[in-house]
Amino acid sequence: MNTSPHGKNTSPHGQISRQHRTTLRRLIAITTVTLVFDGYDLVVYGTVVPQFLRDPSQIGHLSVAQAGALGSYALMGVMVGALSAGAVGDHVGRRRIMIAGIIWFSVAMGLSAFATSIPEFGVLRFFTGIGVGALVATAAAMVAEFAPPHRRNVYNAIVYSGVPVGGVLAAVMALITSGGDSWRTLFLFGAAPLVVLLPVTLLCLPESPKWLQARGHTERAHLLSERTGVALNGPVRAADDEKVGFAALASRRYALPTVLLGLMSCSGLLLTYALNTWLPEIMGQSGFGTSYSLVFLLALNGGAVIGGVLASRAADRRGPQRVITSTFVLAAVSLVLLTLGLPLGALLALVAVAGIGTIGTQVLVYGFVANYYDTRARAAGVAWCAGFGRLGGIGGPLVGGALMSAGISPHHAFYAFAGVAVLGALVTLFVPRRSTEEDAVAESVPESAPGSVPDSVSVPKSASVPVG
């Protein structure tokens, strides 16, 4: 057991100090609530589309095609926000991106409630997506640098399960508020983080000590390490000519894995958005009434929340790559079985399993990616997968729509989605193994306990450091 001069203990068997545990709980709580509102903001639009189509007095005469385009604007914004966050996140830090993202999407969501025209609403949906994308891309980097290696996938799954939970929250809020200008209330509620979450984030969310160390802010890194209980290890900073951010992704070390990880994320998000958009219609064409639409969607997202957390425990024990490959295969099998005309109970169970293999898989993907890259490229790596993968999110509804408009049977739609899941499994299988898992083992035995400072760094005992 390593003991710092200040009495904080870190066990090589994975136990963490009380101070680290407190910091981690605050971080997980803040990032989870943030992604709940992210999920809410992205899903709430679908709950108000019927009202827009029926009542032109809201934002104008809206056709079905225009409604689909408006839905894609937020996803395009997510892609822009994720890639932008990756471009600057490894340079300016995780905390600043999180704070900026919360402010950005909250303000855009609140302004959307006052939109009076289709172009105005569309522009605000795009800007809302930018803030959402920045947060989705940064949360995994934060978790990877604060969570102990043996629990990273579980904590990551808890945080990203906030997205489907937010979707459920949007559906519940839509049921509570109905008629008239109720959609404006839904969008105003999406701005609540500006009042509720932002102050807590400013007070309680620290910068990553590992990021500070990697950027050469050695003294601040050690002071913050002592304050948060997060152990520092590895080189104090990268060489001056070492590539950082997106430049590192293009290096020989990361180029091929980056392409494969992007395709893996693209497959997961295509399945996620395709099923969330078209599952009710597909099941309706299979003979189920519209009253079952919400039930199937709840089964899909509920399976993702529960199954994703359970699968993440296996990922911490056996490695995320093997588990993600298995969950993609699980999705393919369950989607094929949905074509067999089974009883309702069996169908709901299979839809829940499909949720694990699609939405739940994407939760695991973010954790895998965040831990695959080192600190100098972590934000860019997650941003790349969130941004490039969002092409799958944008394409999912379009692919589903093309299949449905072609007049093919629902069975063939499920077969097509199963093929995408198989592709995701193959891509995941070929991602080169790198030293991340070896690094994780090394990180579980810190080279320096929290708060300890190398001889070359002099830190006054009375010094203090701001949380940011």
Side-chain angles (χ1 to χ4, degrees):
M1 178 176 293
N2 299 321
T3 306
S4 77
H6 301 279
K8 288 187 280 287
N9 299 326
T10 305
S11 167
H13 302 292
Q15 296 177 352
I16 61 177
S17 69
R18 180 182 300 177
Q19 205 166 12
H20 187 181
R21 188 176 297 110
T22 300
T23 300
L24 184 59
R25 286 173 178 170
R26 291 176 179 174
L27 171 77
I28 297 301
I30 290 171
T31 50
T32 301
V33 173
T34 299
L35 292 192
V36 167
F37 278 96
D38 275 11
Y40 176 91
D41 290 349
L42 289 175
V43 173
V44 72
Y45 171 71
T47 70
V48 304
V49 166
Q51 186 177 356
F52 285 171
L53 292 174
R54 289 194 315 267
D55 187 359
S57 68
Q58 299 302 325
I59 61 172
H61 291 275
L62 188 69
S63 67
V64 174
Q66 286 175 316
L70 283 178
S72 69
Y73 291 163
L75 296 176
M76 293 177 186
V78 171
M79 181 172 64
V80 172
L83 294 176
S84 299
V88 300
D90 289 313
H91 295 276
V92 304
R94 320 311 189 203
R95 184 174 183 269
R96 290 175 181 173
I97 297 295
M98 290 290 291
I99 292 171
I102 291 172
I103 296 172
W104 188 293
F105 88 77
S106 298
V107 170
M109 195 70 175
L111 291 176
S112 299
F114 300 98
T116 57
S117 67
I118 294 173
E120 182 183 358
F121 185 80
V123 169
L124 288 170
R125 288 302 293 159
F126 176 78
F127 277 100
T128 300
I130 292 176
V132 171
L135 291 168
V136 168
T138 306
M142 292 287 287
V143 174
E145 292 177 6
F146 279 85
H150 68 293
R151 298 281 289 172
R152 282 178 180 169
N153 287 288
V154 168
Y155 284 124
N156 194 79
I158 292 171
V159 168
Y160 279 92
S161 291
V163 175
V165 169
V168 173
L169 177 62
V172 172
M173 287 294 294
L175 290 173
I176 295 174
T177 62
S178 60
D181 288 343
S182 60
W183 70 271
R184 299 186 187 276
T185 302
L186 293 175
F187 279 82
L188 279 175
F189 180 78
L194 191 64
V195 179
V196 177
L197 184 60
L198 180 61
V200 177
T201 303
L202 290 170
L203 289 173
C204 300
L205 185 68
E207 183 54 90
S208 165
K210 293 182 180 180
W211 175 81
L212 289 170
Q213 182 188 40
R215 298 299 294 161
H217 305 296
T218 308
E219 184 172 337
R220 286 184 62 202
H222 282 281
L223 287 170
L224 195 57
S225 171
E226 180 179 352
R227 184 170 181 172
T228 61
V230 177
L232 296 175
N233 58 302
V236 172
R237 74 170 292 179
D240 289 339
D241 60 348
E242 195 169 17
K243 296 179 179 179
V244 176
F246 280 119
L249 302 189
S251 65
R252 179 181 299 180
R253 180 184 185 187
Y254 286 135
L256 176 61
T258 294
V259 172
L260 294 175
L261 291 170
L263 291 173
M264 178 177 67
S265 179
C266 192
S267 300
L269 284 170
L270 189 152
L271 290 169
T272 295
Y273 282 92
L275 287 174
N276 268 313
T277 302
W278 292 108
L279 181 62
E281 178 65 20
I282 292 174
M283 301 310 291
Q285 291 191 16
S286 300
F288 293 93
T290 55
S291 60
Y292 288 98
S293 298
L294 183 59
V295 176
F296 281 116
L297 284 179
L298 286 175
L300 184 74
N301 286 279
V305 173
I306 298 172
V309 173
L310 294 177
S312 68
R313 296 177 65 88
D316 277 326
R317 293 194 301 269
R318 302 180 182 180
Q321 188 169 8
R322 187 180 305 175
V323 175
I324 292 171
T325 303
S326 301
T327 54
F328 267 129
V329 171
L330 196 64
V333 172
S334 61
L335 289 168
V336 170
L337 291 177
L338 283 172
T339 66
L340 300 182
L342 300 173
L344 176 61
L347 289 176
L348 287 172
L350 286 172
V351 168
V353 173
I356 299 173
T358 55
I359 306 172
T361 294
Q362 191 61 28
V363 168
L364 297 175
V365 166
Y366 285 130
F368 179 32
V369 172
N371 294 314
Y372 194 91
Y373 297 98
D374 58 24
T375 298
R376 65 191 172 91
R378 181 167 288 133
V382 177
W384 159 256
C385 287
F388 180 79
R390 201 60 53 175
L391 292 175
I394 295 170
L398 297 177
V399 170
L403 293 172
M404 302 302 293
S405 62
I408 67 172
S409 71
H411 291 178
H412 288 91
F414 281 133
Y415 291 146
F417 295 151
V420 174
V422 171
L423 175 63
L426 291 174
V427 169
T428 306
L429 200 61
F430 285 104
V431 174
R433 292 186 180 275
R434 60 142 296 202
S435 59
T436 300
E437 283 136 305
E438 300 165 14
D439 293 343
V441 173
E443 287 179 15
S444 66
V445 187
E447 294 178 19
S448 60
S452 60
V453 183
D455 294 336
S456 59
V457 179
S458 176
V459 181
K461 291 183 179 181
S462 59
S464 60
V465 63
V467 175

